[in-house]
Amino acid sequence: MTTPNRTHHIRLTSHPEPGVGIRRPLHWGDPDPVRRGPVIGSVTNPADRNVIGSHGGAYSVYRALAISARALNPLARPDLHNTHPVVPVGPHPSWGDPDRIVSLDPFGHVAGEVFGEAIATGTDIRPTIAITRARLNLPEILASLAAHRIAADGEILHPNGDIAVTKIAIDPVWWLPGLARRFETSEQALRRTLFEQTGGMFPELVTRPDVSVFLPPIGGMTAYVVGEVASLADPTKRIACRVHDECNGSDVFGSDICTCRPYLIHGIEECVREAQAGGAGLVVYNRKEGRALGEVTKFLVYNARKRQEGGDSAATYFERTECVAGVQDARFQQLMPDILHWLGIRRIDRLMSMSNMKYDAIVGSGIEVGERVPIPQHLVPPDASVEMEAKKAAGYYAPDGALGEGQLGGVKGRSLDRY
């Protein structure tokens, strides 16, 4: 008698088999966090998972390396004692609107408290938002103090240049049905594209239609609030805001080929002034390096621009990016207003940005914008003149008057840069 060969079925995902009920289903948009349910992306107990992907965004890969190096116990769970927010945020009405916030978890900062009982009984629930206090110290602020453009008050801005802020770190949490509606596509098409363009890393995107939340392996954002956080949701307070997309070369290392760091510093100064006047300032820093095309692509474009016949020019500024990357800008701003709604903002009095993409996204989401503030000419580095002239020639950057929706001067794809 022969014994039939036995093949062992090895599952390549950490989710239960299709058809198995989720122990803690998510009801996105429910204003009650308990009824909404916790976001569980940890892998310590696959049966508890109710999302695609895992906590930590891009850092989940480093967690895997730490486990591989035997420096981290894969079963380790965080001790969340005393990690709760230093100031309360919300709840706001937008938290109960399933289409108003689709790219972050409105209850991500209170997961440790709201779901404390479940955590105590063994469910591995982790916060996706953390709120702390800090001080910023930037050399340009000292220069502004010395030039008497701003003045220390000892509370918001200190004589040594320190700026007191509330700092909020946010990991992305994507609710796929709402995300698809934002981009005017079907959820099925969105899932298929995400699956294909991540090289099939997340098969649940196409095999688990019953799981609607995805924790993408990307960077999130950090919000810096100058003044009281509660003032952001107070209609009697004036709000200054800079929504900034990452530019490592300029923001950190001071490259002068663009106006990123100068505009960021200008935004911070304006936020300080507004907070000192009784309002509040907000700087949102998004991890979207190189217009979300990445730093390698960004540097390739720099080379292509400077090596072309005739040298770098405003006329070919956007064309060279599209030639290398296939698109001028991959950031898109449809998801950007989510953090503004999470903070309860209904009006921005002074928006430090001349980007129509940002403006249209904010206003289109129902937030009123009063004034759009351009970067002062004296802050534009000499080597950034090509960039600025390209924007002006395209009818995109208009320092003499803010353009409204649809007034982009015919620029292809409405995909122009960060400012």
Side-chain angles (χ1 to χ4, degrees):
M1 235 182 124
T2 59
T3 302
N5 290 329
R6 295 179 181 269
T7 58
H8 294 281
H9 175 61
I10 301 175
R11 298 195 72 246
L12 298 180
T13 70
S14 56
H15 280 285
E17 294 287 351
V20 176
I22 298 174
R23 294 198 338 184
R24 295 183 181 271
L26 286 168
H27 303 285
W28 198 266
D30 195 305
D32 183 295
V34 176
R35 290 197 306 262
R36 200 292 305 270
V39 170
I40 308 176
S42 53
V43 297
T44 50
N45 187 354
D48 285 335
R49 288 169 53 80
N50 59 9
V51 302
I52 299 163
S54 57
H55 285 305
Y59 293 96
S60 60
V61 177
Y62 288 102
R63 176 182 171 85
L65 291 179
I67 293 171
S68 297
R70 297 180 178 82
L72 175 63
N73 181 346
L75 300 179
R77 298 188 182 187
D79 178 355
L80 298 176
H81 179 65
N82 279 342
T83 63
H84 57 279
V86 296
V87 294
V89 173
H92 297 294
S94 56
W95 297 13
D97 185 339
D99 287 318
R100 188 68 67 186
I101 298 176
V102 302
S103 63
L104 60 90
D105 176 9
F107 304 105
H109 60 310
V110 293
E113 294 74 59
V114 171
F115 305 111
E117 184 177 339
I119 293 173
T121 57
T123 306
D124 192 356
I125 300 168
R126 307 191 181 194
T128 58
I129 299 175
I131 306 174
T132 189
R133 285 196 177 94
R135 289 190 180 187
L136 306 182
N137 192 297
L138 304 159
E140 291 91 338
I141 300 298
L142 285 172
S144 294
L145 280 168
H148 304 290
R149 289 194 294 270
I150 52 177
D153 61 276
E155 183 177 347
I156 293 170
L157 177 59
H158 296 264
N160 67 347
D162 283 356
I163 303 170
V165 298
T166 300
K167 191 161 58 171
I168 306 170
I170 301 175
D171 278 342
V173 178
W174 288 3
W175 185 57
L176 295 174
L179 206 79
R181 284 193 285 272
R182 289 278 181 94
F183 286 91
E184 299 180 349
T185 186
S186 69
E187 183 184 349
Q188 182 180 11
L190 174 66
R191 285 173 174 266
R192 172 61 62 178
T193 304
L194 286 170
F195 170 72
E196 292 173 348
Q197 295 303 311
T198 55
M201 286 192 296
F202 301 97
E204 295 92 349
L205 286 167
V206 291
T207 64
R208 295 298 304 273
D210 58 321
V211 181
S212 296
V213 171
F214 177 42
L215 304 183
I218 60 174
M221 70 187 81
T222 308
Y224 298 85
V225 182
V226 186
E228 298 297 325
V229 175
S231 295
L232 296 173
D234 186 341
T236 68
K237 304 288 187 179
R238 285 179 54 85
I239 305 301
C241 178
R242 166 70 182 166
V243 180
H244 189 89
D245 292 328
E246 177 182 28
C247 178
N248 185 62
S250 178
D251 297 341
V252 179
F253 294 101
S255 169
D256 66 351
I257 198 171
C258 62
T259 58
C260 297
R261 182 179 174 96
Y263 218 152
L264 177 61
I265 299 298
H266 175 58
I268 292 172
E269 287 190 10
E270 293 301 315
C271 287
V272 168
R273 288 192 183 95
E274 204 66 70
Q276 288 177 327
L282 171 66
V283 174
V284 179
Y285 194 87
N286 293 291
R287 268 71 186 188
K288 296 179 181 178
E289 177 65 57
R291 303 183 207 157
L293 299 170
E295 205 164 31
V296 170
T297 297
K298 182 178 180 179
F299 290 3
L300 294 175
V301 172
Y302 284 170
N303 286 346
R305 282 170 49 192
K306 293 188 174 185
R307 287 172 175 163
Q308 63 190 346
E309 186 176 350
D312 198 8
S313 72
T316 59
Y317 176 84
F318 297 111
E319 177 188 344
R320 295 309 296 141
T321 301
E322 193 164 3
C323 287
V324 174
V327 64
Q328 294 173 3
D329 193 327
R331 292 169 303 165
F332 308 103
Q333 299 294 347
Q334 286 92 328
L335 304 179
M336 177 267 291
D338 283 22
I339 184 173
L340 307 179
H341 289 290
W342 179 70
L343 289 164
I345 293 174
R346 287 170 282 178
R347 173 182 168 84
I348 296 171
D349 296 278
R350 306 188 77 231
L351 177 66
M352 273 65 72
S353 171
M354 297 305 289
S355 164
N356 285 317
M357 289 178 67
K358 293 177 183 177
Y359 173 81
D360 291 350
I362 292 170
V363 173
S365 76
I367 296 173
E368 184 183 353
V369 173
E371 177 187 4
R372 297 167 68 184
V373 182
I375 184 172
Q377 184 61 39
H378 71 273
L379 294 181
V380 179
D383 205 27
S385 59
V386 169
E387 174 194 67
M388 298 302 291
E389 291 306 313
K391 297 176 194 304
K392 292 174 184 177
Y396 167 73
Y397 186 90
D400 297 325
L403 297 177
E405 185 173 1
Q407 295 177 280
L408 280 177
V411 178
K412 181 179 178 181
R414 295 174 60 107
S415 57
L416 289 174
D417 206 51
R418 74 176 74 240
Y419 303 101

